[in-house]
Amino acid sequence: MGEIDPQFSTSSTGEGASYDLVVVGSGIIGLGAAYAAVRSGLSVCVIEQGTRPTGSSIRNFGHLCIGAQTGEARELAEAGRETWLRLSRDADFWLRESGTLIAARHNDELALIEAAAQTGGIEIFDTDDFAALAPVNRHVVVGGARIAGDLQANPRTAAEKIVAHLVSLGVTFISRTTATAVESGVVHTTRGSVRGGRVILAVNHDIDRLLPAIAEEARVQRCVLDMVRVQMPLSAPLDAPLLTGWSLLRYGRFESLAEVVPVRERLHAARPDLAAIDLNQMYTQLPDGSMIVGDTHHRDPSPLPFQAEDSQQALIDEALELFGVPSLRVIERWQGVYASGAGEFLDREVLPGVRAIAATTGIGMTCGFGLAQRAVAALFGADAPVSAAALAAAPNNFTHTELSKETTP
Ligand SMILES: Cc1cc2nc3c(=O)[nH]c(=O)nc-3n(C[C@H](O)[C@H](O)[C@H](O)COP(=O)(O)OP(=O)(O)OC[C@H]3O[C@@H](n4cnc5c(N)ncnc54)[C@H](O)[C@@H]3O)c2cc1C
């Protein structure tokens, strides 16, 4: 890890500082909580064990896949959409109103998409029209679709830009500091205790280290994913995230329909090797033209770090075939990790005034802002944010931050 980014180091945590909200974790969900709170006029401190965001929030596709969600996830995704748009403007990071493309390579995939399209927001295309929209090999697709309203962000830049914006709004960041325990109104860290009126824990899968009993109850484990970034000679830019039939097996809006059954049975029978790595064959193109290619899934409480070359080769082979290109160049490989649990979200008041939140499947970029906004509203009251003065006057609130001198790195 490089030098501490000055925008991501402790600014003012001296004796006497007090916070309405202490957030642990500076991934997209912790940042979303800090943003919701500071916009409500609350004072906020974010504690982060690293010197910059390096977790799931920078390792993903940047696909804000709103229209493929249903139920609670859809509500949270819709709630976060406006925040993404506003933040991209105010914090000045790359984001586009791209929609999402879906390449169908079999009639059962088209039938599934058509069934989902009955509730609106999905446009269906025949082979030629779809091949004009996406730089895929027209001989391998039978048609396709576009989900309206979805967004694409650059995950490599968004979180750091949001940190800088939050600093400009007055949020205090304490870096290189690990939260080790939490009580109502106080977070114990490797540099001393940080006190505040309310606490949000947004530590993703590391909730099993901080609050193991809560993690066990929510059946949280780690899902590790193989990812690669490639350069490939596409016939045209890919203007939106691109999903395939494999993706339809996992997104709520599609996988809840009866028409998914023949798709799953066919894909699993035809390609047990890809089913075994739990493939979600999808792509996003970054502003520099490189393509994020993914992904595999493996769940384990303590996954091993070794990435099988066969899995990565499968990702590459599938990309070559879908885009009809003879070769590509791998620029980077990495392992992503996210929390995987019993439901789609962990959102629980674990102690009075302390809320633990996480996306417990791979939709935290899409739903994380909505989840964070809801948690802040639950802690402070949606329409009546609690001011520092009110918290100071209330019983059981701690209004002083007592960090040891090492907090200023
Ligand atoms: C490969 C991959 C692809 C994905 N693709 C998508 C996608 O396209 N669309 C989508 O919606 N979602 C996607 N996801 C899921 C999404 O990235 C995550 O759900 C989301 O980023 C989680 O955000 P977070 O803030 O909870 O976690 P993180 O970004 O991991 O942040 C948690 C932070 O907490 C810090 N922390 C942990 N413990 C402590 C502690 N004790 N003290 C202090 N700090 C601590 C960590 O250092 C870290 O910075 C993907 C995930 C992966 C891995």
Side-chain angles (χ1 to χ4, degrees):
M1 199 160 293
E3 283 303 298
I4 292 176
D5 179 340
Q7 284 180 314
F8 199 68
S9 49
T10 310
S11 45
S12 67
T13 55
E15 198 107 1
S18 70
Y19 304 101
D20 297 327
L21 177 67
V22 176
V23 178
V24 181
S26 70
I28 212 69
I29 296 181
L31 297 177
Y35 183 56
V38 79
R39 273 173 57 82
S40 297
L42 301 169
S43 61
V44 185
C45 169
V46 178
I47 299 170
E48 166 58 47
Q49 64 191 0
T51 59
R52 58 165 69 118
T54 58
S56 300
S57 301
I58 69 156
R59 300 180 191 207
N60 59 68
F61 292 96
H63 182 204
L64 311 175
C65 189
I66 301 155
Q69 312 299 334
T70 49
E72 181 187 16
R74 180 64 176 263
E75 279 169 28
L76 295 176
E78 297 278 5
R81 186 177 188 278
E82 169 58 28
T83 306
W84 273 109
L85 290 169
R86 187 181 339 103
L87 267 175
S88 78
R89 218 174 34 241
D90 295 351
D92 187 28
F93 60 84
W94 185 91
L95 176 135
R96 60 183 173 186
E97 297 188 60
S98 56
T100 296
L101 295 168
I102 310 172
R105 286 175 288 184
H106 196 279
N107 286 334
D108 58 22
E109 293 173 7
L110 266 187
L112 172 55
I113 295 166
E114 273 161 14
Q118 283 173 16
T119 47
I122 299 180
E123 196 180 354
I124 315 272
F125 300 98
D126 65 18
T127 306
D128 287 335
D129 287 346
F130 188 74
L133 277 179
V136 293
N137 177 0
R138 74 169 303 293
H139 301 295
V140 303
V141 295
V142 296
R146 179 165 47 204
I147 307 175
D150 288 358
L151 308 173
Q152 184 189 346
N154 182 349
R156 286 154 183 254
T157 52
E160 289 219 38
K161 287 281 196 169
I162 295 170
V163 169
H165 183 58
L166 290 177
V167 168
S168 77
L169 295 178
V171 173
T172 297
F173 282 81
I174 305 176
S175 62
R176 283 188 173 164
T177 303
T178 301
T180 52
V182 62
E183 296 170 47
S184 291
V186 58
V187 177
H188 300 287
T189 82
T190 42
R191 295 184 195 261
S193 298
V194 183
R195 295 171 187 270
R198 305 285 189 274
V199 176
I200 287 184
L201 306 173
V203 295
N204 200 2
H205 44 82
D206 287 336
I207 194 70
D208 64 353
R209 309 261 154 96
L210 196 54
L211 295 176
I214 299 290
E216 275 164 25
E217 226 175 278
R219 287 190 272 141
V220 171
Q221 54 181 332
R222 283 138 211 265
C223 180
V224 290
L225 304 88
D226 291 327
M227 300 285 281
V228 293
R229 186 162 75 94
V230 305
Q231 286 286 3
M232 66 170 130
L234 295 176
S235 56
L238 178 63
D239 292 331
L242 179 70
L243 305 180
T244 66
W246 289 100
S247 317
L248 303 181
L249 306 184
R250 49 199 330 124
Y251 288 100
R253 183 162 178 190
F254 301 98
E255 66 89 27
S256 58
L257 297 173
E259 287 81 356
V260 80
V261 175
V263 179
R264 179 181 296 113
E265 285 177 354
R266 177 182 51 79
L267 286 172
H268 282 220
R271 294 302 303 270
D273 56 330
L274 301 183
I277 58 173
D278 197 5
L279 178 73
N280 176 11
Q281 185 190 358
M282 65 168 288
Y283 308 90
T284 52
Q285 190 168 34
L286 292 175
D288 69 0
S290 65
M291 185 93 94
I292 299 181
V293 175
D295 57 9
T296 65
H297 299 80
H298 172 68
R299 289 168 185 80
D300 194 298
S302 291
L304 296 171
F306 314 114
Q307 296 182 275
E309 187 59 26
D310 282 354
S311 304
Q312 306 206 11
Q313 191 58 46
L315 296 178
I316 292 164
D317 292 343
E318 292 305 302
L320 292 175
E321 193 192 332
L322 180 63
F323 292 100
V325 297
S327 64
L328 55 75
R329 190 167 74 84
V330 175
I331 308 169
E332 292 171 340
R333 301 168 194 265
W334 67 98
Q335 189 180 53
V337 190
Y338 62 66
S340 173
E344 289 181 313
F345 304 102
L346 170 69
D347 182 5
R348 197 171 301 181
E349 185 151 5
V350 293
L351 289 166
V354 179
R355 214 160 180 99
I357 55 173
T360 45
T361 185
I363 54 176
M365 292 291 277
T366 307
C367 304
F369 284 158
L371 180 66
Q373 284 156 205
R374 188 175 73 182
V376 170
L379 283 175
F380 291 96
D383 303 319
V386 182
S387 71
L391 282 169
N396 296 326
N397 281 315
F398 299 82
T399 54
H400 292 283
T401 301
E402 293 159 7
L403 290 176
S404 61
K405 291 254 185 284
E406 307 94 273
T407 48
T408 307

